[in-house]
Amino acid sequence: MLALFVALQSVQAWFAASFRKDAYLDPKLYVEDFAPNPTTGGRVHFLLPFLDNATSSTWPFNLLLNGEAATLDYPTLRLPADVDWARVEADAGARLVWVALHSRAEAFMAGLGQLEVRDASGATVAAAAVRVPSPHAVTLTYVATQKAFRELVVHLQNADAIPHVVTQLHADGQEALGAPLTLAAGEHQVLVVSLPSPKREGQLWTVRAIVDGADLAWGGVHIKELFPFENWPKDDQCPFPASNRTNFDTLAALGIDCSFLRMKECGVSSLVVVEQAAANGYTVLPDEAHSLQEPNYFKPEHYPAIAALFISDEGDKSWSDTARLLNESLRRRRNYPELATYMGGHVNKYTGTFAGITDIMGMDYYVAQCAPHVTGALSPMRIQGTFDYLRVTRENHKPLPVWGYSQSSCADCWTLKDGLNEGEQTSALASVFAAGNKGLMLFMGDVRRADVPGWRAGAALLRSFRAVREALRVGDVMDSALTSSDGVEQSVAVAIQSPTGIVIIVINMNADTYSDITCAAHVGAHWIFHPHTVQRITISLPAGFRLKDVTEFVDGNDQAGTVHYSVVGSALVLTEVELGTANTTRVFWAARE
């Protein structure tokens, strides 16, 4: 076996790789005592070229890791003991293979030196002598397509305090830089790459960057060019035109255009719901029961209506669940290779291990109405909790997208029955967008609460986010490029850069009164928000960014003159940003010339 591997490896010239440790929140702020801190191992992406003599690349692929086999197919999945999950995809046109895997075993990661990929026929497609690199200061934070899959939007972030130089950048094997790109300390750059031919959902994308001599790589699977505003409805509300048109219209007025879908919606088949989607302007997220049907339950004509295939909700009960969820993801990959997969989580210490099993990751953490949550029952509740859990999920899943949950008003879901107040609802919704998530998952949008003030305030805010929806979909968080005069206890301020401008989201977090202790005593109260002013927000503009103007979206309308701003050197500075108590959030748009 070793002699064969050496012979194969000798005909390939390179491999590229990237590695990240698992991110997790401060355990003193978010107490998850049932789980140890995830301090060992991490996730690695490898990119390998096809062997010169490789003529076959048929899915499913199998791996040999230091000679030990990993079978990556449903239902025959088999993984080495130290591997939590692994994925392999190939691009026959570019003759590239992407391998991603996660391991919590330091010794395994340090000792991984031989990698071989075989296709369904047993033929070796790629082989290399590899190593898992150290985390690099320059990373790919996000990739999206635009213009009907004809352009690739690539986000690079330098997290270091010194500049780094990208000398080469390859997108799907094609050189994408005309000249070396210097990333200043903390700089976030967005690049738009024209693709030789349009891609489609389910196909592999790869990015390879040579940074100061380090050969880095990332990959993933294309998803729809979609930023869903999704709702998980109450079981008996069936908010679809075929089952309950009134409820459908109520949620549409809120801004919802995607829904979780069960096999039957008040007696109406899910196929009927899917077939009516295009005419009524919505998409669906079919539940896990659909995977138990025949592989051709959904036909190709149904695919445009399916936002993604649902794997699991809060399936991250323990680290041992990774293989089960990977098996379910492989089942959908086998049955519907053209569709992306989605999985939800709820434990921040586990999200680093689970992130990457599916194409899209989710997370829920609710901080109001005495809703249950994964942290200790008597630990302090923070209004920032929703944002923090969604943001750490983005950190672990990047460069792949996150669709994050926001709590909504529900008449009988939680201890408090009167619905979220305006501040609770708007801060929860805004947290999804500010965390850099690429889809909104509302839980549960109960139509019986459509008349409460929180619902109306949420609808107005969603109209503003809808106005910058495409920029949010193709954009990404600029991370260290933004600084605020505030601490995290008073407000959250985030800048999201897209090819056409920067969305700036500022959320009032100056709230108190709520307590899990009073919830446990069944005398819980709502969060009370207080007016707050952020004195100064500074955004370091990337090289080449020429600012046109800064406006604000209010109830979906673009308004000028409501924001105090100036350009100081290469920085955009916002001052005296006043935040309210009903609509806690302001949404600014810094347009690029």
Side-chain angles (χ1 to χ4, degrees):
M1 175 66 74
L2 180 59
L4 174 61
F5 179 86
V6 171
L8 291 170
Q9 187 268 333
S10 66
V11 300
Q12 67 88 31
W14 59 269
F15 80 93
S18 65
F19 173 74
R20 65 127 179 93
K21 301 287 289 182
D22 291 357
Y24 62 100
L25 300 173
D26 185 342
K28 294 179 181 177
L29 296 179
Y30 299 102
V31 180
E32 296 178 350
D33 284 340
F34 57 88
N37 296 339
T39 58
T40 59
R43 186 203 67 201
V44 62
H45 283 196
F46 290 110
L47 187 65
L48 284 70
F50 278 25
L51 294 174
D52 289 343
N53 60 354
T55 58
S56 174
S57 59
T58 306
W59 193 92
F61 298 97
N62 294 318
L63 280 175
L64 288 175
L65 302 166
N66 289 346
E68 187 174 2
T71 303
L72 303 179
D73 193 13
Y74 172 85
T76 57
L77 174 67
R78 185 167 70 88
L79 295 169
D82 288 330
V83 176
D84 297 305
W85 58 264
R87 293 180 62 183
V88 181
E89 297 288 347
D91 182 341
R95 294 184 64 80
L96 294 171
V97 176
W98 168 66
V99 177
L101 64 86
H102 188 282
S103 174
R104 287 170 287 118
E106 293 279 2
F108 172 83
M109 293 300 246
L112 182 56
Q114 297 177 354
L115 182 62
E116 183 179 343
V117 178
R118 296 177 179 176
D119 80 345
S121 71
T124 298
V125 181
V130 300
R131 65 176 180 83
V132 176
S134 299
H136 200 282
V138 173
T139 190
L140 181 79
T141 63
Y142 181 55
V143 164
T145 59
Q146 62 182 12
K147 298 184 179 178
F149 293 94
R150 289 177 172 83
E151 292 182 346
L152 199 68
V153 182
V154 176
H155 289 265
L156 293 173
Q157 176 76 37
N158 177 14
D160 215 339
I162 61 173
H164 289 280
V165 179
V166 183
T167 54
Q168 295 182 47
L169 185 76
H170 301 266
D172 293 346
Q174 303 293 315
E175 175 58 49
L177 280 183
L181 172 66
T182 298
L183 293 173
E187 185 174 2
H188 182 111
Q189 274 285 0
V190 56
L191 307 172
V192 178
V193 180
S194 295
L195 298 171
S197 59
K199 298 292 183 177
R200 59 172 172 78
E201 184 179 8
Q203 285 186 316
L204 173 68
W205 62 260
T206 62
V207 171
R208 179 188 179 196
I210 298 179
V211 184
D212 296 335
D215 204 344
L216 309 175
W218 304 265
V221 169
H222 289 298
I223 70 170
K224 283 183 171 63
E225 293 182 350
L226 173 73
F227 192 120
F229 284 21
E230 189 263 2
N231 178 50
W232 185 310
K234 295 284 291 180
D235 292 7
D236 60 352
Q237 293 186 358
C238 312
F240 299 100
S243 49
N244 193 316
R245 183 81 207 197
T246 299
N247 288 350
F248 174 81
D249 290 341
T250 298
L251 287 167
L254 175 62
I256 298 302
D257 55 17
C258 179
S259 182
F260 185 74
L261 178 66
R262 301 171 180 89
M263 288 296 300
K264 293 283 187 180
E265 293 288 345
C266 297
V268 177
S269 165
S270 62
L271 288 179
V272 173
V273 172
V274 170
E275 287 162 359
Q276 294 186 359
N280 291 278
Y282 63 84
T283 57
V284 296
L285 189 67
D287 72 6
E288 57 267 56
H290 286 83
S291 68
L292 304 178
Q293 308 307 306
E294 293 298 321
N296 61 349
Y297 181 80
F298 291 122
K299 305 296 191 296
E301 58 266 29
H302 298 140
Y303 295 170
I306 298 172
L309 294 174
F310 188 87
I311 301 296
S312 173
D313 177 56
E314 297 187 350
D316 54 341
K317 300 295 191 295
S318 74
W319 275 322
S320 63
D321 288 318
T322 53
R324 175 180 60 83
L325 294 173
L326 175 61
N327 210 24
E328 286 302 314
S329 184
L330 290 169
R331 185 209 299 247
R332 289 155 180 79
R333 173 68 175 84
R334 170 168 284 282
N335 293 344
Y336 302 105
E338 301 89 347
L339 296 174
T341 54
Y342 168 91
M343 174 179 68
H346 73 307
V347 181
N348 101 80
K349 288 184 181 180
Y350 290 160
T351 187
T353 298
F354 286 78
I357 292 175
T358 52
D359 305 315
I360 307 161
M361 185 75 177
M363 172 59 70
D364 64 72
Y365 186 82
Y366 306 136
V367 300
Q369 284 197 281
C370 297
H373 48 82
V374 72
T375 48
L378 299 181
S379 59
M381 176 54 70
R382 292 165 50 80
I383 190 65
Q384 300 89 346
T386 296
F387 171 81
D388 288 345
Y389 267 67
L390 296 177
R391 184 62 176 269
V392 78
T393 305
R394 178 256 182 185
E395 290 302 308
N396 282 312
H397 199 52
K398 68 184 182 185
L400 308 183
V402 173
W403 293 356
Y405 279 97
S406 165
Q407 188 176 5
S408 186
S409 292
C410 179
D412 52 14
C413 298
W414 302 295
T415 301
L416 295 184
K417 311 297 186 184
D418 54 346
L420 300 176
N421 64 32
E422 296 102 315
E424 291 168 335
Q425 185 65 84
T426 56
S427 63
L429 289 169
S431 291
V432 175
F433 303 97
N437 292 186
K438 307 305 175 187
L440 166 68
M441 313 283 281
L442 199 63
F443 187 92
M444 293 182 166
D446 186 345
V447 297
R448 294 171 296 176
R449 287 290 176 260
D451 59 342
V452 301
W455 185 291
R456 294 192 294 271
L461 181 59
L462 285 182
R463 285 191 284 272
S464 292
F465 281 120
R466 183 177 292 274
V468 292
R469 187 182 198 172
E470 181 63 5
L472 292 169
R473 185 188 72 81
V474 300
D476 200 30
V477 178
M478 297 176 71
D479 291 320
S480 55
L482 182 145
T483 58
S484 170
S485 60
D486 260 7
V488 295
E489 301 302 320
Q490 292 81 39
S491 65
V492 165
V494 172
I496 296 174
Q497 184 186 178
S498 78
T500 56
I502 299 172
V503 181
I504 304 161
I505 304 169
V506 190
I507 311 171
N508 185 4
M509 295 294 184
N510 186 17
D512 53 30
T513 302
Y514 188 90
S515 167
D516 264 9
I517 296 175
T518 57
C519 282
H522 301 287
V523 291
H526 289 279
W527 288 99
I528 295 177
F529 285 78
H530 307 284
H532 182 70
T533 299
V534 184
Q535 297 300 323
R536 185 181 181 92
I537 297 170
T538 303
I539 302 166
S540 296
L541 299 175
F545 188 101
R546 297 181 61 185
L547 181 68
K548 180 181 179 181
D549 58 17
V550 181
T551 56
E552 180 177 9
F553 282 94
V554 179
D555 197 8
N557 299 310
D558 193 4
Q559 299 183 0
T562 62
V563 56
H564 306 289
Y565 76 93
S566 60
V567 176
V568 180
S570 60
L572 170 63
V573 180
L574 278 61
T575 56
E576 301 294 325
V577 181
E578 297 179 355
L579 303 174
T581 60
N583 180 10
T584 59
T585 302
R586 298 183 70 177
V587 181
F588 304 108
W589 172 242
R592 188 172 193 163
E593 285 189 350

